[in-house]
Amino acid sequence: MFGAFASLIPPPSTGPPPKDVPPPTPLSLPQCNPQLPGNAGSSGKRAQSSLVRFLQTLHRPTEVNESHFAALGVHVHADAPPGDVVPDPSCLPSASGWDGVDLDEARRRDPTFRAPLCNGRLSPEARVYIERRGELSIANQAAFRTVRRMKPEPGKPAVRLGNCYEFFRQLEFMASYWDDTSLPPLSDEDVEQEQDPQTTSVPQRTTYRTVAGSQMPPELRHNLVSAFVKLVSYDFGCNIAPPRVEPRLHLIEPPSTETRRKCGTSTRRISYFSSGCIFIYRTPTTREAARAGIVEGPIAAVSARNTTNFTKPTESNIDFGRELIAALVTAQLRAREGKTEKRIGEGQWWATAKRWGGAEGGPIGREVEGDAIIGDKDAFEIEGLGEGSPSPANAPAPAAGRPAPDAQEPGFARGIPVRGAPLSKKPRKTLSVYDRYRMVRLPSSNWDKKARYEAIGKIRGAGYDDVFVVSSLFHHLCVLRVRVPDRLLEVLDGAEEEEEELGQNEGGEGEEGKGYSWGKLEIWRSTWFDLFVVEQRLEAMRLLWGVMAWSMRTSTKDGDDEAMGGA
């Protein structure tokens, strides 16, 4: 209705660079790349008798050090090329030969570019890949003008962002906290020149940093990474979504031999590490399941952290530990395929037997004082208000033709007026905090009822699962491939670590060189890609395309999977 008045509103304009801007936050990426001693192909030496018991000694993030990574057998290949991050390099689009390709040439490439997916569809066309490259190749400042609805620079046409509009909108938000690294840094002379209106009529920059990067809200980085991942995942029939239950890496202590010998049963300690990652899920092909919120997978994890200081090794260890937890959590979720949930505490006395020796128990908390809890809708049990007791002055009178409420009727406010609580309240539909505490029951479930857990893209019969993690720090992004052995998941789930499985390793070492029963936890980390730089975000998009093509491929013969398993 008010669209006709849009022409009367003056277009926004950029002013001079702001003064008194705090110094920029230094960009120091973490350097934590644990290596196994000796040959990279060896399973290494075992330093701890029980992995789970050693990990359960962690109580604070600052306690993480290299010994915990060594206990897991972590071996990192840093700055790995995209052909090593993706197990099958043929899933990666070619690094060159896409400039100047028209639609006819793109259609001719479809027979070799497209491949069948596990959801019954074909992979995106070559035209879609060319469009994403063209949209991400737009210069940042020109894209920011479109986001801010500003006129283009004189002599230049207006750009169309298309599917990348949300990505550039989030990138424009981050430009207030981080300098645009695609442009040369501003010096004092450049600032004075751009502040002088007589020098140039149109400023070259559209955005300027006004706040330090360390003060950026964490949700901005999450939104930027999510928008970037959706550019690729959506065309493969996948989507990125936060989990409905907290992602947890569950650790179950192996049974103790001494306790089992004495008592016949063993008490096993159960703990977990929480993670703040989100996941890439496969969208169901049926409309009813998609509308109901059903998700399948997960396919990969997305971990964006807000840490900006990595001057000490402790910060780098903590950040790498968070990436590792995100990968192991994803592996545990994918390993739930075909299994049923076993609730924690099921069959245990502390989740079934009544407390207080089986008695009903007395009042607890503020119930002992007889005071009402502000905001509590429970009926108050107060003595002294019987048939002969006077009713409170502000008690509501019963309606005509309706009997007065009985003093024993649930939900009737009986008693002395208390602090800030009205006398007449509606009976609450849910249990109070004290009533919930009195109930003896199992902890809440950690399985999402609307998730179909499935190891999508896993090589069947290989004995491991290649898990991908999209990691983000500052305004950078990298991709990790973590090869999680099935045996390691069994050990974390409480399996016994038998001595014969921990004998001599591949190097033929003796008692002092016991190897890991799961071999090793091998990780391939790509280089860090700066999302402000056009060339680097194009390479990041190419790597994500290869990851999605590999994960969503059709299940071929076991022989083909075995051949690709050596990658």
Side-chain angles (χ1 to χ4, degrees):
M1 181 174 64
F2 300 100
F5 299 96
S7 59
L8 302 178
I9 302 176
S13 58
T14 58
K19 299 181 180 179
D20 300 331
V21 178
T25 302
L27 294 175
S28 58
L29 293 169
Q31 301 294 330
C32 182
N33 301 311
Q35 304 286 328
L36 287 178
N39 186 12
S42 174
S43 59
K45 294 183 180 180
R46 185 177 180 83
Q48 304 295 332
S49 59
S50 176
L51 170 65
V52 176
R53 292 192 183 97
F54 181 58
L55 294 179
Q56 287 179 340
T57 59
L58 285 173
H59 301 287
R60 299 177 182 85
T62 54
E63 298 176 356
V64 179
N65 52 39
E66 291 79 5
S67 62
H68 298 93
F69 305 141
L72 287 166
V74 176
H75 185 82
V76 179
H77 302 273
D79 298 332
D84 292 343
V85 177
V86 180
D88 187 6
S90 63
C91 297
L92 284 167
S94 58
S96 59
W98 296 101
D99 297 334
V101 178
D102 55 1
L103 294 179
D104 295 335
E105 177 63 24
R107 294 190 186 96
R108 287 192 291 267
R109 296 187 181 186
D110 282 344
T112 57
F113 187 80
R114 306 184 71 182
L117 303 179
C118 59
N119 56 4
R121 302 175 181 175
L122 290 176
S123 61
E125 305 172 355
R127 172 189 58 83
V128 177
Y129 183 75
I130 295 173
E131 289 178 356
R132 298 296 177 271
R133 282 184 54 89
E135 293 166 353
L136 289 175
S137 300
I138 299 175
N140 296 335
Q141 300 302 317
F144 296 161
R145 286 181 173 273
T146 302
V147 170
R148 292 189 173 189
R149 299 183 179 181
M150 299 172 56
K151 293 182 178 179
E153 296 184 7
K156 296 183 179 179
V159 297
R160 298 178 62 89
L161 303 181
N163 296 275
C164 294
Y165 179 84
E166 182 63 22
F167 167 75
F168 282 109
R169 190 173 75 91
Q170 300 297 334
L171 194 65
E172 193 264 342
F173 287 153
M174 292 192 67
S176 301
Y177 299 89
W178 304 93
D179 292 322
D180 188 353
T181 51
S182 63
L183 300 176
L186 284 174
S187 60
D188 297 338
E189 293 78 7
D190 296 335
V191 172
E192 295 178 357
Q193 184 179 5
E194 293 199 17
Q195 286 179 349
D196 188 3
Q198 299 179 357
T199 305
T200 176
S201 58
V202 179
Q204 298 179 358
R205 291 176 179 259
T206 306
T207 58
Y208 297 95
R209 184 183 60 83
T210 58
V211 191
S214 56
Q215 301 179 5
M216 188 186 73
E219 56 268 16
L220 292 185
R221 184 176 293 102
H222 281 273
N223 296 337
L224 176 69
V225 177
S226 299
F228 186 77
V229 173
K230 285 181 181 179
L231 291 175
V232 179
S233 63
Y234 189 79
D235 293 309
F236 282 89
C238 303
N239 200 357
I240 181 172
R244 283 180 281 258
V245 294
E246 182 184 22
R248 295 176 178 178
L249 175 62
H250 293 275
L251 303 175
I252 302 178
E253 183 184 15
S256 176
T257 306
E258 297 180 359
T259 307
R260 185 171 49 189
R261 185 174 60 252
K262 293 179 181 179
C263 306
T265 59
S266 59
T267 303
R268 309 172 72 177
R269 179 186 174 190
I270 302 175
S271 61
Y272 65 87
F273 295 139
S274 60
S275 176
C277 63
I278 57 179
F279 300 104
I280 302 176
Y281 295 100
R282 186 177 64 185
T283 306
T285 55
T286 59
R287 182 177 302 179
E288 293 77 10
R291 287 182 175 179
I294 304 297
V295 292
E296 301 172 350
I299 295 179
V302 179
S303 175
R305 283 92 57 203
N306 201 36
T307 309
T308 57
N309 185 13
F310 296 101
T311 56
K312 299 180 180 180
T314 305
E315 283 80 4
S316 299
N317 293 336
I318 294 175
D319 187 78
F320 180 72
R322 290 170 178 167
E323 293 176 330
L324 199 58
I325 289 177
L328 294 177
V329 167
T330 308
Q332 282 189 345
L333 295 180
R334 290 165 60 89
R336 292 178 179 178
E337 179 182 359
K339 300 179 181 179
T340 57
E341 180 183 10
K342 184 179 180 181
R343 300 282 294 273
I344 297 178
E346 187 174 1
Q348 300 292 330
W349 65 268
W350 51 266
T352 55
K354 290 185 178 181
R355 297 186 179 92
W356 303 291
E360 295 297 332
I364 57 177
R366 296 186 61 180
E367 293 177 343
V368 179
E369 304 174 2
D371 294 341
I373 305 171
I374 296 179
D376 195 0
K377 296 183 179 180
D378 289 338
F380 304 110
E381 297 284 348
I382 304 220
E383 300 178 356
L385 185 60
E387 295 180 357
S389 302
S391 60
N394 55 350
R402 182 179 179 182
D406 187 8
Q408 302 298 327
E409 181 182 352
F412 175 63
R414 300 161 290 176
I416 304 172
V418 294
R419 301 189 299 268
L423 289 178
S424 61
K425 293 183 180 179
K426 298 180 180 179
R428 62 182 299 149
K429 299 180 181 179
T430 58
L431 297 175
S432 64
V433 177
Y434 297 106
D435 292 334
R436 288 198 301 266
Y437 172 75
R438 288 188 178 95
M439 294 180 62
V440 180
R441 54 185 176 179
L442 298 175
S444 59
S445 174
N446 194 245
W447 286 48
D448 188 358
K449 296 181 180 179
K450 293 187 177 182
R452 298 172 181 171
Y453 296 108
E454 183 180 353
I456 302 175
K458 180 181 179 180
I459 302 176
R460 305 298 176 180
Y464 58 83
D465 187 11
D466 284 326
V467 178
F468 295 95
V469 178
V470 181
S471 178
S472 178
L473 285 172
F474 303 104
H475 45 83
H476 295 68
L477 180 144
C478 78
V479 179
L480 289 82
R481 174 165 70 108
V482 184
R483 178 162 289 181
V484 182
D486 296 341
R487 175 58 184 165
L488 176 59
L489 296 179
E490 295 174 359
V491 171
L492 297 179
D493 200 26
E496 296 186 17
E497 302 180 30
E498 301 177 359
E499 289 296 333
E500 58 266 21
E501 295 182 358
L502 303 177
Q504 294 183 349
N505 56 18
E506 297 178 0
E509 298 177 354
E511 186 71 17
E512 298 179 356
K514 292 182 179 180
Y516 305 98
S517 60
W518 56 88
K520 57 182 175 180
L521 188 62
E522 200 165 4
I523 301 175
W524 290 266
R525 179 195 293 275
S526 69
T527 58
W528 288 95
F529 303 104
D530 190 349
L531 296 181
F532 274 115
V533 181
V534 174
E535 294 78 9
Q536 296 189 25
R537 65 174 173 243
L538 287 178
E539 187 65 15
M541 190 269 293
R542 173 175 170 264
L543 178 56
L544 283 177
W545 192 285
V547 169
M548 295 304 303
W550 158 262
S551 302
M552 289 293 294
R553 73 193 188 281
T554 55
S555 298
T556 57
K557 298 180 180 179
D558 294 340
D560 298 339
D561 283 344
E562 293 285 345
M564 288 185 293

